[in-house]
DNA sequence: TCGGGCTGAGAACGTGCGTTCTCCGCGGTG
DNA sequence: CACCGCGGAGAACGCACGTTCTCAGCCCGA
C-alpha cells in the first residue's frame, strides 16, 4: 500500500527532471530511472504523461505558495539580524514578497518559473497544462491582492506589483541572476509609497 | 537564384508555425507543407532544424524592434486623434513603449513573447536558442535604456520599466488579454514621475 | 504445499519526426 | 540530339519515446 510513497517518488523525479530540463525532453523512462518506480506502476498512478505533468504542477503550486506565505508570515528568517516576530507591518509584508523572490532565485538549480516555462512549452498544445498555469498565476495574484488589501492599498497597485514580480521571474531566468528581485522590490517600494501617500491606511 | 525567396518563404512558415504552436510540435514536414519549399532545399538553407529556429528568432527580433522603434518615433499612429509629428517629448517616448505593447498584444494570433516561449521550450537544451533569447532581451533592454537616458532619467528606472514590460508580456499571454499593457503603462508613469521629480531634465 | 493475483524488469509496438536517399524530369552546353 | 547536373517529390532510415505486453518471481489464503 505504499502507492502513496510511489506517487511521491514519481512526483519528486518529475519535479527534478521536468523543472531542470523541460518537459518534452524528459521521457517516461527517465522518470522511472530517477524515481525507481516501474513503468507499470507509473501508468497506474498517472494514466498518461500529461497527468503526471499536471500533478507535478499542482504539487509544486501548493508548496511554492506555502513557502512564500511562510516567509511573508515571518516564520523563516536568515537575513543577518534576526528579528523575532516576523513581518507584521502590512506594507512590509507586501514588500517581503520581493525579498522572497530573491531567495528563490538564488536557490541552486533555479531555472525560472516552472509555470511560465511550462506554458511556453505546452500552453499551445495542452489545455490541462495551460489551465494549471492559469490557476497558479491566479492564486499568486490573489495572494498578492490579499496582502495589498490588508495594507489598505488599492487593487490596482496589486496588479502592478504582480507584473513586476512576473517580470522579475522571467528576467532572473534568462539572465541567470537574482538581481531582478531586488530591482523589482525597489520599484515596488516606489509604487507602494506612491499609492500609500494618496490612500494610506 | 530565388534561394533568397525560398529562404524568406521558409522563414515565413517557420514564424507562423513555431510562434503559433510552439517549436517542438512543428515538424520539418509542416514547414515544407506551409512554405512550399522542398525538404531538400530546406536542408540546404538550414542544415538543421535548430538553425531554422535561430534564423526565425533573428529575423523576428529585427522586425520586432523595428516596429517598436517606428511606433515610438511616431511614424505610425491610429489612436483616435491623429497628432502629426509623433513622439517628441522624451518622457512620452518612454511611455509610448507600453502603448505599443498594447497594440502588439491585441494583434490577432498574439501568443506571448516568442523569445520567452522559446526559452521555456528550449532554453535548457539548446544553447544557440538560449543565446538568441538573451541577445533579444539585451537589445530590448538597451533600447529602453536609450529612451530613458534621452529623457535624462537614471538607468535604474530603465531596468524597472524593463521588468514591467516583461511582466506585461507574460501576463498578456497567460491571461490572453491586452490589459496588462495598460496596467504596466500606468505603473511606468508613476515610476517615471517619481524618478523625474528628483532628477528631472 | 498449491494456486492466483500483484509487482518489477524490460522487451515490444506504433508512431512521429529529423535527416538522408532515390528517382525522375528539365534546362542548359557540345 | 546526347549529356550532365540541379531541383522537386516523397520514400526510406534511424531513433526516440509514449504506451502496452510478456514473463517470471513472490506474497497471500486454503
Amino acid at each position: 500500500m505504499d502507492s502513496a510513497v510511489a506517487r511521491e517518488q514519481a512526483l519528486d523525479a518529475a519535479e527534478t527532471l521536468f523543472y531542470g530540463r523541460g518537459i518534452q525532453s524528459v521521457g517516461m523512462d527517465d522518470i522511472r530511472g530517477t524515481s525507481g518506480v516501474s513503468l507499470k506502476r507509473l501508468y497506474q498512478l498517472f494514466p498518461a504523461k500529461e497527468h503526471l505533468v499536471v500533478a507535478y504542477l499542482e504539487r509544486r503550486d501548493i508548496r511554492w505558495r506555502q513557502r512564500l506565505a511562510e516567509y511573508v508570515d515571518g516564520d523563516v528568517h536568515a537575513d543577518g539580524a534576526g528579528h523575532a516576530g516576523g513581518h507584521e507591518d502590512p506594507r512590509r509584508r507586501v514588500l517581503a514578497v520581493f525579498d522572497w523572490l530573491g531567495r528563490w532565485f538564488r536557490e541552486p538549480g533555479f531555472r525560472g518559473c516552472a509555470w511560465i516555462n511550462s506554458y511556453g512549452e505546452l500552453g499551445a498544445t495542452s489545455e490541462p497544462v495551460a489551465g494549471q498555469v492559469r490557476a497558479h498565476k491566479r492564486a499568486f495574484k490573489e495572494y498578492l491582492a490579499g496582502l495589498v488589501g490588508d495594507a489598505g492599498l488599492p487593487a490596482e497597485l496589486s496588479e502592478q506589483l504582480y507584473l513586476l514580480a512576473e517580470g522579475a521571474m522571467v528576467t532572473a531566468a534568462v539572465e541567470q541572476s537574482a538581481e531582478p528581485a531586488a530591482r523589482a522590490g525597489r520599484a515596488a517600494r516606489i509604487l507602494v509609497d506612491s499609492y500609500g501617500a494618496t490612500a494610506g491606511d
Side-chain angles (χ1 to χ4, degrees), chain A residues 39-189:
Chain A
L39 273 178
K40 190 169 181 182
R41 207 113 136 107
L42 277 179
Y43 275 91
Q44 283 174 337
L45 295 164
F46 308 97
K49 187 183 183 182
E50 192 176 56
H51 291 239
L52 179 58
V53 174
V54 168
Y56 141 65
L57 291 175
E58 261 171 1
R59 196 186 70 166
R60 190 176 170 102
D61 168 58
I62 290 169
R63 294 185 174 179
W64 188 90
R65 290 191 288 122
Q66 198 169 344
R67 286 200 301 144
L68 169 58
E70 274 169 9
Y71 180 81
V72 169
D73 287 346
D75 290 349
V76 184
H77 274 300
D79 56 341
H83 35 109
H87 303 108
E88 298 189 353
D89 172 12
R91 288 198 195 172
R92 181 159 258 145
R93 283 166 64 83
V94 171
L95 296 174
V97 170
F98 295 89
D99 296 341
W100 182 76
L101 287 182
R103 287 173 177 242
W104 176 34
F105 296 169
R106 260 180 275 270
E107 284 175 14
F110 174 79
R111 242 188 36 82
C113 169
W115 296 271
I116 294 173
N117 291 346
S118 302
Y119 194 84
E121 208 173 335
L122 298 172
T125 52
S126 165
E127 192 41 51
V129 169
Q132 217 27 248
V133 174
R134 282 192 280 271
H136 166 77
K137 290 302 181 192
R138 197 180 322 121
F140 173 49
K141 195 192 268 199
E142 281 168 9
Y143 177 69
L144 249 185
L147 294 180
V148 169
D150 290 348
L153 294 160
E156 168 77 2
L157 170 64
S158 119
E159 299 273 353
Q160 296 177 356
L161 298 183
Y162 171 76
L163 296 181
L164 278 173
E166 295 295 309
M169 290 176 210
V170 171
T171 304
V174 171
E175 298 184 357
Q176 302 187 104
S177 152
E179 179 58 21
R183 277 203 284 268
R186 291 192 290 273
R189 197 143 121 65

Side-chain angles (χ1 to χ4, degrees), chain A residues 20-36:
Chain A
R21 315 208 310 242
I23 293 167
Q24 315 224 49
S25 78
V26 171
M28 290 300 277
D29 217 59
D30 297 325
I31 301 283
R32 161 182 139 175
T34 302
S35 67

